[in-house]
Amino acid sequence: MAATSAREKVVERLVAWIWEQQALSGLLPGNDGHQYQVVFRGRAWDPERGPDFQGAILAREDGLLLRGDVEIHVRASDWKRHGHGKDAAYNSAVCQVVLWQDEPHPTRRQDGTTIPSIELITRLAAPLAELEQRAAPDLVPGRRAPRPPAIACVTTPDDLGSLLDRAGVARFLEHAATFESDLACLPPDEVLYRGALRAMGYTANTAGFEQLGQALPLETLRAVADGDRGPRRLQAVQAALLGVAGLLPSQRDLPVDQEWPHRLEAAWDDIAGGLASPLPPFTWRTWRVRPENVPVRRAAGLSQLVTTWTSGEPVDRALDDLAAAERAANPSSLAERWQARVDDDAFWATHHDFGRPLKESQPWLVGAGRAGEVVINVLLPFCYALGQADGDRALSERALAVYRRYPSGPPNRVVREMAVQVGGADGPKLARGACRQQGLIHLYRHWCDTRDCQRCAAHAGGSIRSDEPARTSYPLPIRP
C-alpha cells in the first residue's frame, strides 16, 4: 500500500512536469466534449493549498477563454478523493489536468461551479516511459523542474533599466493617487493608519484589513485606549483590533489556555459594547498563507505599532522620518519605526495563532522585510499624496526622490520570476533597488498576469508611454 502511494506521488509529479514543460501535441480533450489549446500553462508557485498552477489561460475550440488556476492529478477521480470539492481554496481552478480520464462527469468546485477535466495521455509529445526517463532528475521530492528557457522581453541593459525605472514610478503614483483620494475625505493620520492596515494583509488579506480599518477607525482606537498606559494600552488596542476582526479565540472556538489570551478576552468584554460588530469569518483567507503571516498575527503586530499612535501624531513622525532619511546615506532607516518585536517569552513570540504554537520562537511580528514594504507602498506614496493635497510640491518631490534610491527588499515570487522573464539571465542583476522591483510588479499586474503581451510596455519597445489615457489596464501618466 505504501509503495502504491509513493508511486502515485511520483506519477503526479510527472504529470506536473509534463504540463510545466508542455510536452504535449495537439488540442487537449476535455470530458465536457470540448477541445482545448494551452495559451499559457500558468505559474507553478508551490502553493501550500490550492491549485498547482496559477494564472493559466486555455482556449476552447469555440473561442471561449478559460482564465484561472489548474489542478494536476493522475486521475480525474482524484479531485473528489483529495477533497478538493469541499475546499474553497480550489474555487479558483478553471480545470483539472489529468493523465487518465476515469470520471465522465464534470468536476464540481466547493462553490458549485463545474469545471472540465482535461486528459493528457493521448496527447503526449513522446511515450510516457520516455517522458518519465527525461523527467527523472526533476521528480525528486522538493525539487522544482526547470522552466523552458525564456526569451527576454527587453534585451539591452539600458532599455531594461529605463523601463523598470518608469514602471516603478508609475506604480508609486498609482499608490499615491489612492492616498490622495482618501485625503479628500479623511484626516491624514486616518489615511496613514488604513494604509498600514492594508499593507499588513499582503495580497491574500488586503481586502479584509481594509474592512477592518473601516470598521475600527483610528479615532475609535484612541478612545478605547484613552487613559491606559504601557501594557494596558497595548492590551486594549490589540483586543479591539482582534475583536472587531472576529479573530479572538472565543469568536473562533479556539482554546483560551494562557494568560495573554485571557487578558485579551477580558479587555474585549469591557470594550465590545462601544465597537462595531465583528467581521464575519469568511473575511479572512488562511490558505496559501504562511503561519507567520496569518491575519491574527499580523493584526497583533500592527497593534504594537498603533499603540504608540493613540497618544501621538503619526503623520508628524512620518515627516520627521522622511527628513532623516533624506540626510542618510541609506534611507532604509525609514523602516525601523514600522518594525514590531515582542519579548522572546511573550505569547506572540511562540504562537502564530491562539492554541497554535510555533516550532521555534519568532519574536518579530513585523520584520525588516515587511516594514520595508510598508515604507515603499504606504509611507512614501502617502507623503507624496500629502504634498499634492496640501499644494506642497517640494514634499512630493522629496518623497519620490527617497523612493527612487530606496534599496531592494527581499524579492517575492513575482519579482524573481519577472526579473528573468523581462530581462533574461541578467534581469535579476539589473532589477535592483525598490523602484525597479516595484516596476516588475507593475508590469506583472498590468500585463503579464493576463498575458496581454501586445499592449505590454516591454513589448512596445521598453518604455511606458506617458501620453496614454488613464485606465485600469495602463499605468498612470508620470507627472513632470
Side-chain angles (χ1 to χ4, degrees):
M1 184 69 178
T4 301
S5 177
R7 178 58 185 166
E8 283 284 312
K9 291 179 181 178
V10 170
V11 177
E12 184 163 314
R13 287 195 292 271
L14 173 59
V15 181
W17 183 91
I18 291 169
W19 185 257
E20 176 90 16
Q21 303 296 317
Q22 285 295 289
L24 302 165
S25 176
L27 295 176
L28 307 178
N31 66 346
D32 58 354
H34 291 286
Q35 302 281 318
Y36 293 89
Q37 179 179 352
V38 179
V39 178
F40 177 54
R41 66 184 179 279
R43 296 175 173 86
W45 276 347
D46 300 321
E48 295 181 5
R49 282 176 62 211
D52 299 296
F53 288 81
Q54 300 170 39
I57 303 175
L58 290 86
R60 211 164 69 180
E61 88 286 342
D62 60 1
L64 178 70
L65 286 181
L66 300 185
R67 294 177 180 266
D69 299 344
V70 171
E71 175 66 2
I72 300 294
H73 284 132
V74 178
R75 300 171 182 81
S77 58
D78 289 343
W79 177 276
K80 185 176 181 179
R81 188 165 62 88
H82 293 171
H84 298 334
K86 298 179 180 179
D87 191 342
Y90 291 85
N91 285 344
S92 59
V94 293
C95 70
Q96 69 163 333
V97 168
V98 302
L99 192 59
W100 289 292
Q101 186 68 264
D102 66 340
E103 175 59 64
H105 304 294
T107 301
R108 188 174 298 276
R109 302 188 316 203
Q110 181 269 346
D111 60 6
T113 302
T114 57
I115 59 175
S117 294
I118 296 175
E119 186 180 58
L120 303 185
I121 191 64
T122 61
R123 297 294 188 271
L124 301 179
L128 184 61
E130 180 181 330
L131 292 176
E132 184 170 6
Q133 186 175 10
R134 287 188 210 168
D138 302 315
L139 300 184
V140 178
R143 181 171 177 177
R144 273 287 307 277
R147 291 283 179 87
I151 299 174
C153 300
V154 182
T155 56
T156 66
D158 288 346
D159 285 346
L160 178 61
S162 175
L163 169 68
L164 295 183
D165 286 340
R166 299 200 68 199
V169 171
R171 180 168 169 82
F172 177 90
L173 293 177
E174 285 187 343
H175 288 317
T178 299
F179 287 122
E180 192 172 348
S181 64
D182 290 343
L183 286 167
C185 53
L186 293 170
D189 55 357
E190 180 69 30
V191 173
L192 184 58
Y193 161 72
R194 295 192 185 190
L197 274 170
R198 287 196 298 269
M200 291 300 151
Y202 289 73
T203 301
N205 287 294
T206 299
F209 275 100
E210 189 165 7
Q211 291 180 51
L212 179 57
Q214 295 169 357
L216 186 63
L218 180 59
E219 183 179 0
T220 302
L221 267 182
R222 283 178 168 148
V224 165
D226 186 38
D228 288 330
R229 295 290 181 271
R232 287 184 58 84
R233 178 181 289 274
L234 172 62
Q235 181 178 305
V237 170
Q238 194 169 121
L241 282 166
L242 293 175
V244 174
L247 295 174
L248 285 170
S250 62
Q251 296 166 326
R252 296 183 291 145
D253 295 324
L254 296 177
V256 185
D257 55 2
Q258 294 193 10
E259 180 184 1
W260 186 249
H262 274 293
R263 292 170 63 182
L264 292 177
E265 291 286 358
W268 175 248
D269 288 342
D270 291 340
I271 63 179
L275 300 177
S277 299
L279 299 177
F282 57 76
T283 302
W284 306 105
R285 185 178 126 183
T286 56
W287 63 87
R288 292 187 190 159
V289 179
R290 295 179 179 178
E292 62 269 23
N293 297 333
V294 294
V296 64
R297 188 172 168 87
R298 285 302 172 192
L302 185 68
S303 70
Q304 300 278 135
L305 303 175
V306 176
T307 295
T308 63
W309 293 12
T310 56
S311 60
E313 295 299 332
V315 173
D316 291 342
R317 296 179 190 179
L319 295 177
D320 290 342
D321 290 346
L322 177 64
E326 289 179 286
R327 298 189 296 269
N330 185 342
S332 61
S333 58
L334 267 174
E336 293 176 3
R337 197 185 294 277
W338 295 90
Q339 296 181 53
R341 190 184 192 281
V342 295
D343 293 336
D344 290 340
D345 59 350
F347 178 82
W348 290 116
T350 57
H351 290 74
H352 69 84
D353 201 345
F354 298 107
R356 295 170 182 170
L358 291 162
K359 293 181 180 179
E360 57 185 24
S361 178
Q362 295 185 19
W364 286 102
L365 300 184
V366 182
R370 175 50 33 178
E373 291 292 317
V374 175
V375 170
I376 295 163
N377 293 303
V378 178
L379 177 61
L380 293 175
F382 167 81
C383 289
Y384 183 98
L386 187 63
Q388 295 289 94
D390 291 347
D392 187 349
R393 185 183 181 90
L395 174 58
S396 296
E397 292 175 348
R398 289 166 54 207
L400 181 56
V402 171
Y403 170 79
R404 285 181 181 274
R405 66 186 186 93
Y406 202 87
S408 301
N412 60 27
R413 61 189 186 182
V414 172
V415 169
R416 288 193 296 269
E417 177 156 321
M418 287 295 297
V420 175
Q421 180 171 319
V422 176
D426 293 331
K429 299 177 184 178
L430 296 170
R432 290 176 177 167
C435 181
R436 290 188 175 185
Q437 286 184 327
Q438 293 293 303
L440 290 169
I441 296 172
H442 184 81
L443 294 173
Y444 174 77
R445 300 288 183 214
H446 282 272
W447 296 289
C448 293
D449 190 30
T450 56
R451 307 299 293 177
D452 192 3
C453 297
Q454 291 300 317
R455 291 192 290 180
C456 177
H459 181 82
S463 65
I464 295 179
R465 293 171 53 191
S466 60
D467 58 345
E468 287 285 3
R471 65 177 95 170
T472 56
S473 59
Y474 286 94
L476 292 176
I478 297 177
R479 304 182 187 185

